[in-house]
Amino acid sequence: MEITDAVRKAAKTFETPFLIMDLDIVEQNYRKLQNAIPGCKIFYAVKANSHVRILERLRNLGSNFDVASIGEIKKLLELGVTPDRMIFANPMKREKDIAEAYRIGLRLFVADCPMELEKIAENAPGSQIVVRVAVENKHSDWPLSRKFGTDMLTAVDLLGYAQKLRLKPVGVSFHVGSQNYNPKSWSNAIENVAKIFYWVERNFGIELSILDIGGGIPVKHLKPIPTVEEIGQTVLQAVNEYLPNVRNLTIFAEPGRSMVGDAGILVSRVILRCQRGSEEWVYLDAGVFHGLMETIENFRYELVVEGKEEEKKMPFVLAGPTCDSVDKIYDDAMLPYNITLDDIVYFINAGAYTVEYGTNFNGIPSPKVYFVQDLT
Amino acid sequence: MEITDAVRKAAKTFETPFLIMDLDIVEQNYRKLQNAIPGCKIFYAVKANSHVRILERLRNLGSNFDVASIGEIKKLLELGVTPDRMIFANPMKREKDIAEAYRIGLRLFVADCPMELEKIAENAPGSQIVVRVAVENKHSDWPLSRKFGTDMLTAVDLLGYAQKLRLKPVGVSFHVGSQNYNPKSWSNAIENVAKIFYWVERNFGIELSILDIGGGIPVKHLKPIPTVEEIGQTVLQAVNEYLPNVRNLTIFAEPGRSMVGDAGILVSRVILRCQRGSEEWVYLDAGVFHGLMETIENFRYELVVEGKEEEKKMPFVLAGPTCDSVDKIYDDAMLPYNITLDDIVYFINAGAYTVEYGTNFNGIPSPKVYFVQDLT
């Protein structure tokens, strides 16, 4: 997202820190993915940014939703999203959440181990099951595979077990890891998942029809990224090559970051600059516990300092406003040499996984969210 | 804190996860520190646990408060705590927070660099200043020294600069790091701080009267800890030895963790157990974003599984309930071999820095807080 005049004006007007978002960019992102993979059913991963305005815009576009908890399900229901537009994709659901989701009418669940299937069979009998497999994550910023997903052999066992539990095994999902830079990650995954499709048909008579390609489409930060068109092309080619004979195949996608990441800018302010030993420190009113949680894993945002875009840069330690040593953003942020008190610092493309992790730590509230659509 | 029958009953009754606290233990901790360092002015570090009930109990005991933001100040004001019982100890304050605090009547501020002094001089003219120095943190679980505190030479400059800015330099503070295991950390710090006291008196005619020994008193987890009496003894000896001639010396302490840590137990529940490759995973309804943020830095709690205290233990990967790979509590938690769905897991002595970091991530609310005083 560009730092438009409206954004600059907001930075001067509103109390910092805040996230400013553009709903039209969210819409563009949705349409781009829809065009890149025609017929694909998009389930927006609500956890990336659950602001009501974003959910409403995507609802109006016909989006479906990937939900992680009963809290997200209820929020969507209140917005008029029907349960048939949701996939309960968290592989570790509370039993009472499963039961409540089922009561509401949700029938599509993800599982990646036997106990989860048993929980679903008990609390949501007869529901549809997508089994999640772990795939290569090495080209992503956040490899997920250890915590989530099962191996291919266990996957076929789970699909068979689902059937035995009188659930309806309908598909396989995978996640190439958040912020994945290599389209081949998707085609390699599809090649493997295709083997599962054919194996369970041949051996169990299970006809799967859902290929869930998860999320992982990257947002532009400092490194070059493939376009969504390139990723879509790769996915379609892989589907044609490895799954040519599947009847009624539907591709699901669960994008989170790529729907909202580049639709937002986190606007913060310098509250202190000082020398500590040989280091120059800059402290902001945003920090790890106030919008920038992802930086503790060294996630790199593009930083712009208002009015000092052309100044010579030097390295600073950049930290947040709390009395907590963990609240350090970067050890080596390149910032204008003359950055000082009250300067505005923009974190570009920070629409995903920022305010969602917000805390009230140190009595400091989480950043507010504004929309450029509301600015005059 | 012991797992009493009342706690076990609460675990069976209330929806997990939740933090259960005992206000009487908070009171005991306050009195113990007061007795260990007679005449010491205790400023409870609100950020450790800002629950109103805890603040009220400490208020009634006559405690003072270490505040990190205008949010904490206003919360205390609403509870009838007057501003003369507060120290604004965050070394990186927003200017408008300083101004607002001053307007309210707060007159005691901490600073550790020139710009912070200038901000205070501008927004809170004539206020009292405590300068924070960085001291050895090596015996603590959370070394703080890089983000906070200045060196001894800069400290005397700052005390002189404060005077020049028509502020009132009144003392020096240090923090030995959170959860410090060695009482000598305090005496070594006091030895150094004493040199600052005498130097500024001799050279600038500044008579300091506040020795602020910060926090860092440890809470019992897996490692043995010194008692608060041992730490108090060490502090008093050091004061007698290194600061024998200071008129009207007052010792300040800013305990957070040691007031509330062992006054709480985080109660969680197993929502899934599964094998992943060669690893056994257990997933809880509490996690990094729901009460256990400190575990991402490998902070080690004692874990107890209800009803399985005597079972043989084996290593598990322990993770939280969100769709986020960062939400992993421990790679190698020793838990009963037969731990399973719905088992209750207690995190012992989790009263500090747990719910304070709570988020609503994944649509999952932060753990609730209960008090044993309210159970029947």
Side-chain angles (χ1 to χ4, degrees), chain A residues 274-281 314-317 331, chain B residues 146-147:
Chain A
C274 76
Q275 178 106 23
R276 301 219 185 270
S278 62
E279 296 171 335
E280 288 273 0
W281 284 64
M314 56 174 266
F316 289 85
V317 186
D331 270 315
Chain B
R146 276 183 72 226
K147 184 172 176 184

Side-chain angles (χ1 to χ4, degrees), chain B residues 22 110 114-115 148 172 188 204 293 296 316 321:
Chain B
D22 186 339
V110 172
M115 188 184 278
F148 309 100
V172 177
N188 289 344
F204 297 155
M293 181 65 76
I296 56 168
F316 288 85

Side-chain angles (χ1 to χ4, degrees), chain A residues 306-343:
Chain A
E306 171 69 37
K308 294 183 175 172
E309 292 85 344
E310 305 304 320
E311 300 285 1
K312 212 180 112 196
K313 292 195 173 67
M314 56 174 266
F316 289 85
V317 186
L318 191 63
T322 65
C323 298
D324 194 312
S325 54
V326 173
D327 192 8
K328 187 154 58 67
I329 303 163
Y330 297 127
D331 270 315
D332 53 353
M334 292 304 289
L335 296 168
Y337 77 98
N338 57 350
I339 187 170
T340 192
L341 188 64
D342 272 337
D343 275 348

Side-chain angles (χ1 to χ4, degrees), chain A residues 6-21 264-269 285-286 290 344-347 350 354-355 366-371 375:
Chain A
V7 171
R8 290 182 203 275
K9 193 178 158 197
K12 288 193 186 102
T13 317
F14 302 146
E15 189 171 9
T16 55
F18 62 87
L19 180 67
I20 184 150
M21 296 207 60
I265 293 176
L266 187 75
V267 183
S268 67
R269 189 180 295 272
D285 55 8
H290 298 90
I344 294 288
V345 179
Y346 300 105
F347 289 76
T354 43
V355 287
S366 186
K368 283 214 179 80
V369 183
Y370 298 101
F371 293 90
L375 304 178

Side-chain angles (χ1 to χ4, degrees), chain A residues 146-347:
Chain A
R146 276 184 70 227
K147 184 173 176 185
F148 310 99
T150 189
D151 60 90
M152 286 171 66
L153 202 56
T154 310
V156 300
D157 281 344
L158 291 174
L159 291 162
Y161 190 41
Q163 199 174 40
K164 201 179 139 200
L165 292 169
R166 298 175 184 274
L167 295 163
K168 298 190 188 74
V170 292
V172 178
S173 74
F174 64 83
H175 286 258
V176 295
S178 198
Q179 193 75 359
N180 191 305
Y181 296 95
N182 189 348
K184 280 214 56 112
S185 302
W186 281 268
S187 51
N188 290 343
I190 292 168
E191 181 177 3
N192 283 319
V193 167
K195 292 175 192 160
I196 297 173
F197 270 64
Y198 292 117
W199 199 97
V200 295
E201 185 173 2
R202 217 165 42 233
N203 293 281
F204 297 156
I206 295 174
E207 290 188 27
L208 301 177
S209 62
I210 292 169
L211 171 70
D212 182 341
I213 63 168
I217 301 166
V219 168
K220 181 79 180 77
H221 293 289
L222 301 184
K223 284 193 261 184
I225 57 167
T227 63
V228 64
E229 289 76 18
E230 287 171 291
I231 292 168
Q233 192 73 17
T234 307
V235 166
L236 291 174
Q237 276 172 1
V239 169
N240 284 333
E241 186 171 351
Y242 303 117
L243 288 163
N245 307 316
V246 178
R247 276 184 301 180
N248 305 318
L249 183 72
T250 307
I251 300 173
F252 282 13
E254 296 168 358
R257 192 183 296 279
S258 64
M259 291 293 105
V260 291
D262 67 354
I265 293 176
L266 187 75
V267 183
S268 67
R269 189 180 295 272
V270 175
I271 57 171
L272 184 67
R273 172 179 175 168
C274 76
Q275 178 106 23
R276 301 219 185 270
S278 62
E279 296 171 335
E280 288 273 0
W281 284 64
V282 166
Y283 296 83
L284 301 178
D285 55 8
V288 166
F289 303 110
H290 298 90
L292 297 165
M293 181 64 77
E294 291 207 309
T295 62
I296 56 168
E297 302 258 303
N298 208 27
F299 187 70
R300 289 285 172 165
Y301 291 99
E302 182 191 349
L303 305 180
V304 176
V305 180
E306 171 69 37
K308 294 183 175 172
E309 292 85 344
E310 305 304 320
E311 300 285 1
K312 212 180 112 196
K313 292 195 173 67
M314 56 174 266
F316 289 85
V317 186
L318 191 63
T322 65
C323 298
D324 194 312
S325 54
V326 173
D327 192 8
K328 187 154 58 67
I329 303 163
Y330 297 127
D331 270 315
D332 53 353
M334 292 304 289
L335 296 168
Y337 77 98
N338 57 350
I339 187 170
T340 192
L341 188 64
D342 272 337
D343 275 348
I344 294 288
V345 179
Y346 300 105
F347 289 76

